[in-house]
């Protein structure tokens, strides 16, 4: 199955951005409006993911998010992988926040 992919710079500002990284990665730095559901929890929490709009899925470099996007698409959802993940997001100087009180970074 081919999974649609978009560059970090092209993610719409009003996108539903699903971050599937682990908790420590999320705490270090994430997009301000992202929703955090780790890949290891997505099957049990899939009902939290909207079925009525495109979901942009992001991880650190794009591998985990590609798998999650493919799985969501198999369920009939509209999911797009963010190519290059949060590393590309950070390189594009897109907004990031951290939960640690320190400057955000991609862990």
């Amino acid at each position: 199955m081919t999974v649609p992919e978009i560059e970090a710079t092209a993610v719409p500002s009003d996108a539903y951005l699903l971050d599937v990284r682990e908790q420590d990665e999320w705490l270090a730095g994430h997009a301000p409006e992202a929703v955090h559901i780790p890949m290891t929890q997505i099957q049990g929490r899939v009902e939290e993911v909207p079925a009525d709009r495109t979901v942009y899925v992001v991880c650190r470099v794009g591998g985990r998010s590609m798998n999650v996007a493919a799985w969501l698409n198999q369920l009939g959802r509209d999911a797009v992988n963010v190519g290059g993940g949060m590393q590309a997001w950070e390189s594009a100087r897109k907004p990031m926040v951290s939960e640690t009180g320190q400057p955000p970074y991609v862990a």
Side-chain angles (χ1 to χ4, degrees), residues 1-106:
M1 167 184 256
T2 302
V3 176
E5 187 167 274
I6 191 170
E7 292 186 22
T9 55
V11 174
S13 60
D14 62 345
Y16 183 93
L17 184 63
L18 175 63
D19 190 321
V20 297
R21 297 175 301 150
E22 293 302 317
Q23 183 70 15
D24 61 326
E25 295 172 292
W26 169 263
L27 293 174
H30 58 86
E33 304 302 322
V35 175
H36 183 226
I37 303 177
M39 181 179 175
T40 56
Q41 298 176 17
I42 193 67
Q43 288 184 333
R45 297 177 59 188
V46 69
E47 294 307 317
E48 297 175 40
V49 179
D52 61 346
R53 62 187 292 200
T54 301
V55 175
Y56 296 86
V57 189
V58 68
C59 65
R60 185 169 192 261
V61 295
R64 288 174 284 180
S65 55
M66 179 75 74
N67 289 329
V68 171
W71 182 75
L72 289 170
N73 286 331
Q74 285 180 336
L75 296 179
R77 306 292 180 95
D78 180 16
V80 177
N81 185 50
V82 178
M86 285 303 296
Q87 285 186 340
W89 188 276
E90 184 178 47
S91 292
R93 299 186 174 275
K94 293 195 58 110
M96 289 178 53
V97 296
S98 78
E99 304 295 321
T100 65
Q102 300 298 315
Y105 69 97
V106 177

